Amino acid sequence: MNNNQYVYFFGDGKAEGSAQMKNLLGGKGANLAEMSNIGFPVPPGFTVTTEVCTYYYQNQKKYPEVLKKQVEDGVQKVESILGSKFTDPENPLLFSVRSGARLSMPGMMETVLNIGLTTKTIPGLIKKTNNERFVYDSYRRLISMYSDVVMEKAAGIEPEEGQGIRSQIERLLEGVKERRGYTNDTDLTAEDLKELTENMKIKVKDVLGKEFPDDPYGQLWGGISAVFQSWNGKRAVSYRRIEGIPGEWGTAVNVQAMVFGNTGEKSATGVAFTRDPGTGQNYFYGEWLINAQGEDVVAGIRTPYAVNLKSKQDNNRQFPSLEELFPKTYIELEGYRNKLEEHYRDMQDIEFTVEEGKLWMLQTRVGKRNGIAATRMAVEMQKEGLISKEEALSRVKPDQLDELLHPMVDPKAETVNHPIAKGLPAGPGGAVGKIVFTADMAEELGTKGEKVVLVRDETSPEDVHGMKPAQAILTSKGGMTSHAALVARGWGKCCIVGCGDLSIDMANKTACFGDKIYKEGDWISLNGTKGLIYEGQIPLVTIDPERNEYYKEILSWADEIRKLKVRTNADTPSDSAAAISFGAEGIGLCRTEHMFFGDRIWAMREMIMAEDIEGRKKALAKLLPMQRQDFYDILKVMQHRPVTIRLLDPPLHEFVPNEPESQKEMAERLGMSVEAVKQKVESLHEFNPMLGHRGCRLGVTYPEITEMQARAIIEAAAQCAVEGIEVNPEIMIPLTGTKTEFDNQKEVVDRVAKEVIAEKGVNVNYLVGTMIEIPRATLVADKIAEKAEFFSYGTNDLTQMTFGYSRDDAGKFLYDYYENKILPSDPFQTIDQEGVGQLIIMGVEKGRKTRPNLKIGICGEHGGDPESVKFCHRTGLDYVSCSPFRVPIARLAAAQAVIEESK
Ligand code: PEP
Ligand code: MG
């Protein structure tokens, strides 16, 4: 532990720390040090390190013994620079205390300003500044912040909604304003404020049972402890969980001399970004307020002014900008803005204060930005020569591209609404619609142009007709690979699944979110990117990525350097075409089972109901021309690009109805007795259908199904060949667990292909390969590769079977697993590298030992997850395959994998 140095000083053009020391000093502390080192006007102060936070929690909330002396030395250094003294009644110095972790956690932890104001130091400060109003304004802010942060929150007191000490104190302030007929806080006179602070202190004593502390060091240590306490406060803990920030990091505390933006009309405070964080445009963007302190700008009590003419918005156009009102200060500030961008080579978020005309820089940090801004800034900074292409590519989080691909809930509107429930974010973007509970209703209203959200416990292939016209799908059950999630993601449709707070009463057509009840027809809004559900209609904002030159440019750079190919999971010509426009280089998974719904379901059902092989063949003959057309259409769209078509995979019961009404209809259409239909459906019942009669097991029992599909594919390819279209079908056997299973099915495919090629007299290039989705297949991959010409990892099933978690039911308990730190994240979203990853690596090694050029890809949902894409790159896969809307995300992640590898 660092020579027991727990306190790092900064100010007066130098610092003990630097921007590189974020782990020890937190982001804020490291950047204050850096700004001091490069000669910016930073009020002097010191940072208490993150190690103290760790120590504090490991030692029953005690501090290292040497800390007291080090803090006092820090105070003295500041005193000697400024020529004032912390506890001095004649010439007092005041401090701010702010938290600062490694990564910024906006608003999650606490700040206390004006520490050091007491009944003894107040008269001295009034004399020194000749400004009584300012001193009492500062005092009322201290009482309000300190009683809230230190005396209430840090003490673990949890008041009822609206009964917190801060709210009670605010009400005293509002009372004075009302009685005096004031509109703004700035209208209060020195006398008003003096009286108010007395009443505030009485209120503190009444509510919290303690006197407001009247000793500077008592206040300072109270502030420092409150920051450390807030690291484990509820808000901070839940923020860390969402953002994946480890609790062990701890926070630092920054103690800094106060400079005052609230001394009068020549003082001000502001927050600015070196570029517009909403659009990414390269201009100085910011807000400020005259005669204000700290939080006033962001708190929304007063409408902030724009820093310059360019930043003016409709709500502040009538107010003067800093550029207009304090032109000299503005020029100085803009100079720092330019220097900061040059120095940090990234967009910075800064805080500044003007005290009686003197500009002070209080903070700089890398600014948060949305996806649109991130993309534009990255591209423009590369063109300006600030950063390399590699850095530009690393600056955009792959998931941020989602924002450019889907309409999203207006972020501004979202901040003023509270979600009524939360589920898993299965399909990104935003949606607004009326609640409907059945696919039929969704179809009926949706096709009429009404906006509906289909709300169900879960969906099945029979609901697809209602899912398509719905704006969004919301289910109470299911996980990230549930039917609803998979289908919605493929369409780029907003979808939330596994919403545990939702219970549906189908009889009364109501949905309960916690204790709130909604009827069919009530409006809700969904943020599918975050999994949040809101009451009513929240506005959406739409973006067209094709019109975004920055998006196109960054992806073209990604394509230049990535090694992984990116394919798509698609099973219609229109999805295939959409995927090509997103940059897909082939189809990695065409799920043929999706082709047996609609009218074709009857031929499929006839096949399933058939008594014998003859009956099945008769029904399959009806399906053949339909399948041939399906494949022909897709192959024609994809042209030379490889198209992996998977033979029928799901258990047959998924194609037959369970409800008596539908069974009756089926009996009539197929000329069977209702009893016979019922018996057949019952005979298809399995206890564990996911581990039952599905995948290649169907093909082994009913080779005629494999024959029909193989014939349809090869005939479609032959037709393309006749038309002069080069196509590359790849026929994929699902759910292979043994070499013999695979060989059995490959033999069927090859035999049929040979027949068709002979019949048609044209040559067709095709491959036969397999899904690797059963753990056993990875163990015997060397044997399977003797005949298999490609592998495609089905990581949905592979995860399901490796963990033994049902992919459709895991949502029920996974949340508890994250809560208890049993699992870091959803293994159905991000590959579990520790376990499932090992099987993948083993399969690759064994497969390529037999067949060095074996083509290997992945087609489970993980193919569009950035972390999993990076893993696939490192493991030496040839391609990833994901839903069309995730293709750009995978392209970027694949490029980032190359960049990260070279570091
Ligand atoms: C898989 O299991 O990963 C896969 C792609 O197949 P499906 O999701 O259709 O079972
Ligand atoms: Mg599978």
Side-chain angles (χ1 to χ4, degrees):
M1 192 178 271
N2 231 316
N3 309 331
N4 289 346
Q5 182 177 355
Y6 294 114
V7 169
Y8 284 72
F9 179 78
F10 57 83
D12 206 21
K14 53 188 183 297
E16 291 175 318
S18 73
Q20 273 69 53
M21 293 166 70
K22 285 201 175 72
N23 294 0
L24 188 65
L25 304 179
K28 188 187 280 273
N31 284 325
L32 281 168
E34 189 78 5
M35 283 202 294
S36 299
N37 283 330
I38 55 177
F40 281 20
V42 175
F46 53 88
T47 304
V48 182
T49 66
T50 53
E51 284 176 351
V52 177
C53 187
T54 314
Y55 184 102
Y56 180 79
Y57 281 108
Q58 282 173 353
N59 293 278
Q60 292 85 42
K61 301 195 178 171
K62 285 203 193 75
Y63 294 120
E65 242 171 65
V66 289
L67 185 68
K68 184 164 178 281
K69 167 96 178 34
Q70 290 186 12
V71 166
E72 285 169 5
D73 287 351
V75 169
Q76 258 177 31
K77 274 195 195 157
V78 178
E79 288 173 343
S80 65
I81 289 172
L82 296 178
S84 50
K85 259 185 106 169
F86 183 43
T87 52
D88 188 354
E90 304 295 322
N91 185 14
L93 165 67
L94 305 189
F95 282 112
S96 67
V97 171
R98 291 186 171 95
S99 63
R102 263 189 231 186
L103 290 180
S104 85
M105 296 170 55
M108 294 304 141
M109 291 191 294
E110 310 301 356
T111 294
V112 186
L113 304 180
N114 309 329
I115 280 182
L117 269 182
T118 63
T119 48
K120 286 209 184 78
T121 56
I122 283 173
L125 194 62
I126 293 175
K127 218 164 127 200
K128 181 175 156 188
T129 58
N130 199 17
N131 190 342
E132 190 178 15
R133 187 198 176 280
F134 148 70
V135 175
Y136 281 106
D137 184 52
S138 304
Y139 196 41
R140 66 108 182 155
R141 291 168 190 270
L142 169 68
I143 299 170
S144 164
M145 282 186 246
Y146 193 94
S147 59
D148 170 38
V149 168
V150 184
M151 301 175 74
E152 189 172 85
K153 287 208 186 89
I157 299 167
E158 287 184 23
E160 304 260 298
E161 177 90 23
Q163 290 309 311
I165 186 68
R166 201 164 188 152
S167 311
Q168 300 209 36
I169 283 181
E170 294 293 324
R171 286 200 283 275
L172 290 180
L173 172 72
E174 289 308 313
V176 177
K177 279 162 71 179
E178 218 176 284
R179 279 197 299 283
R180 302 264 198 273
Y182 300 151
T183 41
N184 291 319
D185 294 359
T186 44
D187 297 333
L188 272 81
T189 64
E191 270 314 304
D192 295 333
L193 287 163
K194 196 172 169 182
E195 192 188 319
L196 177 66
T197 53
E198 283 311 310
N199 291 332
M200 281 176 155
K201 286 196 284 184
I202 295 168
K203 185 59 113 192
V204 170
K205 176 87 203 288
D206 274 0
V207 175
L208 301 173
K210 273 190 195 154
E211 294 288 350
F212 187 77
D214 201 32
D215 128 55
Y217 267 106
Q219 290 176 359
L220 180 61
W221 283 107
I224 293 173
S225 301
V227 170
F228 289 136
Q229 280 291 115
S230 70
W231 176 251
N232 272 349
K234 257 195 206 152
R235 276 182 306 167
V237 169
S238 67
Y239 181 84
R240 285 207 297 273
R241 196 178 56 235
I242 293 165
E243 297 289 318
I245 300 174
E248 301 77 64
W249 281 5
T251 179
V253 185
N254 298 292
V255 179
Q256 191 174 21
M258 281 298 305
V259 287
F260 300 97
N262 60 334
T263 60
E265 298 301 307
K266 283 197 194 133
S267 297
T269 189
V271 175
F273 295 85
T274 56
R275 300 186 187 211
D276 185 336
T279 65
Q281 277 184 72
N282 184 6
Y283 72 95
F284 192 28
Y285 174 94
E287 296 178 332
W288 71 300
L289 277 173
I290 299 174
N291 197 9
Q293 198 175 39
E295 265 53 39
D296 291 358
V297 179
V298 280
I301 306 164
R302 287 160 64 187
T303 305
Y305 305 175
V307 285
N308 48 20
L309 290 163
K310 185 114 191 5
S311 302
K312 285 196 178 182
Q313 311 280 333
D314 289 342
N315 67 341
N316 61 11
R317 212 167 292 285
Q318 71 275 29
F319 300 126
S321 65
L322 187 76
E323 188 179 18
E324 293 160 290
L325 209 60
F326 299 151
K328 260 188 153 157
T329 311
Y330 178 74
I331 289 167
E332 188 187 346
L333 183 65
E334 212 185 11
Y336 295 138
R337 175 246 177 186
N338 297 338
K339 274 199 194 136
L340 281 173
E341 280 230 334
E342 254 168 56
H343 189 77
Y344 283 94
R345 302 182 307 116
D346 200 353
M347 187 266 272
Q348 297 289 300
D349 162 358
I350 61 178
E351 277 178 32
F352 61 91
T353 282
V354 182
E355 184 184 85
E356 297 296 322
K358 163 130 183 73
L359 176 64
W360 292 96
M361 300 294 284
L362 299 188
Q363 169 166 300
T364 189
R365 62 183 171 195
V366 173
K368 290 205 186 300
R369 62 205 74 180
N370 64 26
I372 295 158
T375 312
R376 178 167 181 167
M377 280 177 205
V379 171
E380 289 193 337
M381 285 189 183
Q382 192 277 341
K383 302 227 151 138
E384 291 158 25
L386 269 183
I387 56 175
S388 64
K389 270 189 191 174
E390 284 74 14
E391 280 174 302
L393 282 164
S394 311
R395 291 274 173 90
V396 182
K397 291 190 198 129
D399 285 333
Q400 284 185 313
L401 293 179
D402 254 355
E403 293 170 30
L404 284 86
L405 301 171
H406 303 276
M408 60 176 193
V409 176
D410 183 348
K412 281 199 188 114
E414 206 173 1
T415 52
V416 293
N417 284 278
H418 287 289
I420 48 173
K422 191 169 187 317
L424 297 172
V432 180
K434 290 178 181 169
I435 296 175
V436 293
F437 295 106
T438 62
D440 289 344
M441 189 64 137
E443 185 178 36
E444 190 187 322
L445 298 179
T447 42
K448 277 192 211 148
E450 287 201 37
K451 292 191 176 353
V452 295
V453 175
L454 179 60
V455 179
R456 298 192 56 78
D457 278 331
E458 55 201 336
T459 64
S460 78
E462 284 186 81
D463 295 321
V464 170
H465 64 292
M467 294 166 77
K468 187 90 192 186
Q471 300 297 307
I473 298 141
L474 167 61
T475 68
S476 61
K477 297 187 183 147
M480 295 297 280
T481 57
S482 63
H483 178 264
L486 212 124
V487 171
R489 214 176 291 126
W491 293 333
K493 194 180 281 290
C494 172
C495 176
I496 298 177
V497 298
C499 176
D501 294 336
L502 164 64
S503 62
I504 300 171
D505 178 347
M506 280 303 264
N508 292 308
K509 292 271 167 78
T510 56
C512 297
F513 293 94
D515 52 10
K516 289 194 163 188
I517 302 178
Y518 298 85
K519 302 182 300 301
E520 193 153 60
D522 285 346
W523 288 90
I524 50 171
S525 303
L526 271 59
N527 177 339
T529 311
K530 292 190 181 148
L532 300 173
I533 300 131
Y534 297 92
E535 179 178 286
Q537 303 178 57
I538 300 191
L540 300 180
V541 283
T542 323
I543 307 121
D544 174 7
E546 278 312 303
R547 302 230 300 261
N548 186 322
E549 58 188 292
Y550 308 103
Y551 159 87
K552 288 205 271 192
E553 183 118 36
I554 203 112
L555 283 173
S556 76
W557 296 348
D559 293 344
E560 280 168 23
I561 68 163
R562 71 184 158 89
K563 304 240 165 60
L564 271 178
K565 297 251 178 241
V566 178
R567 297 197 195 179
T568 193
N569 293 0
D571 31 69
T572 64
S574 65
D575 282 359
S576 310
I580 291 177
S581 75
F582 287 129
E585 296 163 294
I587 289 182
L589 176 62
C590 170
R591 289 180 165 101
T592 53
E593 62 268 24
H594 291 171
M595 298 170 170
F596 296 116
F597 288 90
D599 272 354
R600 298 138 180 238
I601 193 77
W602 295 107
M604 187 67 180
R605 286 175 176 171
E606 187 185 327
M607 193 272 297
I608 295 169
M609 290 295 142
E611 292 290 329
D612 51 25
I613 183 160
E614 290 316 313
R616 272 193 300 279
K617 281 195 167 167
K618 202 168 130 235
L620 285 165
K622 292 184 190 167
L623 287 165
L624 174 67
M626 301 177 197
Q627 283 265 271
R628 185 171 52 224
Q629 188 67 38
D630 291 333
F631 300 138
Y632 171 79
D633 291 343
I634 292 174
L635 287 170
K636 200 168 161 186
V637 168
M638 296 306 292
Q639 305 218 347
H640 59 279
R641 300 172 186 86
V643 174
T644 307
I645 300 168
R646 181 176 73 184
L647 303 183
L648 192 66
D649 181 52
L652 295 181
H653 80 86
E654 286 194 11
F655 300 94
V656 294
N658 286 311
E659 309 77 43
E661 266 309 297
S662 311
Q663 289 185 353
K664 205 168 140 233
E665 185 194 355
M666 184 160 139
E668 278 163 20
R669 284 192 74 140
L670 300 183
M672 299 170 70
S673 72
V674 178
E675 198 44 40
V677 167
K678 220 172 132 216
Q679 261 182 21
K680 186 76 190 181
V681 171
E682 273 166 18
S683 76
L684 290 172
H685 172 81
E686 292 176 307
F687 286 103
N688 288 308
M690 271 294 179
L691 302 177
H693 200 187
R694 59 173 285 224
C696 59
R697 300 158 206 168
L698 286 172
V700 169
T701 314
Y702 308 118
E704 53 277 12
I705 300 179
T706 307
E707 281 168 11
M708 182 279 284
Q709 290 200 296
R711 176 167 282 276
I713 295 166
I714 303 295
E715 284 184 357
Q719 178 62 30
C720 291
V722 169
E723 292 171 24
I725 308 167
E726 185 205 335
V727 293
N728 287 295
E730 301 178 341
I731 299 173
M732 182 152 74
I733 312 299
L735 226 64
T736 296
T738 69
K739 169 181 161 50
T740 41
E741 268 174 331
F742 177 78
D743 292 354
N744 172 290
Q745 288 295 289
K746 182 170 190 299
E747 191 277 320
V748 177
V749 173
D750 284 339
R751 174 168 46 78
V752 172
K754 213 167 146 194
E755 279 167 26
V756 176
I757 290 167
E759 282 165 27
K760 304 282 171 198
V762 284
N763 195 26
V764 172
N765 288 323
Y766 71 97
L767 300 177
V768 186
T770 182
M771 296 281 291
I772 300 284
E773 52 187 339
I774 295 218
R776 190 182 193 281
T778 66
L779 304 174
V780 296
D782 48 345
K783 300 206 172 70
I784 294 173
E786 283 170 22
K787 294 252 169 81
E789 292 164 309
F790 65 88
F791 282 179
S792 177
Y793 281 99
T795 41
N796 301 334
D797 273 311
L798 190 59
T799 301
Q800 165 165 267
M801 290 186 233
T802 304
F803 274 96
Y805 298 164
S806 152
R807 57 198 262 195
D808 299 306
D809 302 312
K812 271 190 199 150
F813 57 84
L814 279 181
Y815 188 75
D816 296 330
Y817 272 48
Y818 315 142
E819 278 287 282
N820 292 300
K821 296 200 170 118
I822 291 169
L823 281 181
S825 57
D826 184 347
F828 289 103
Q829 272 184 63
T830 300
I831 288 177
D832 154 52
Q833 294 184 25
E834 191 185 16
V836 176
Q838 280 204 52
L839 292 175
I840 297 176
I841 293 169
M842 188 195 306
V844 170
E845 282 171 5
K846 285 186 172 250
R848 291 221 173 112
K849 210 163 139 208
T850 304
R851 195 183 278 264
N853 295 327
L854 184 69
K855 194 175 348 177
I856 308 180
I858 174 177
C859 64
E861 287 306 294
H862 307 83
D865 167 69
E867 281 313 308
S868 309
V869 170
K870 291 176 186 174
F871 168 79
C872 291
H873 168 86
R874 292 194 296 272
T875 309
L877 264 56
D878 296 296
Y879 69 87
V880 296
S881 186
C882 53
S883 54
F885 285 88
R886 291 172 101 181
V887 166
I889 295 169
R891 285 162 68 196
L892 179 58
Q896 291 182 347
V898 176
I899 296 167
E900 284 165 21
E901 195 172 49
S902 68
K903 275 183 187 157

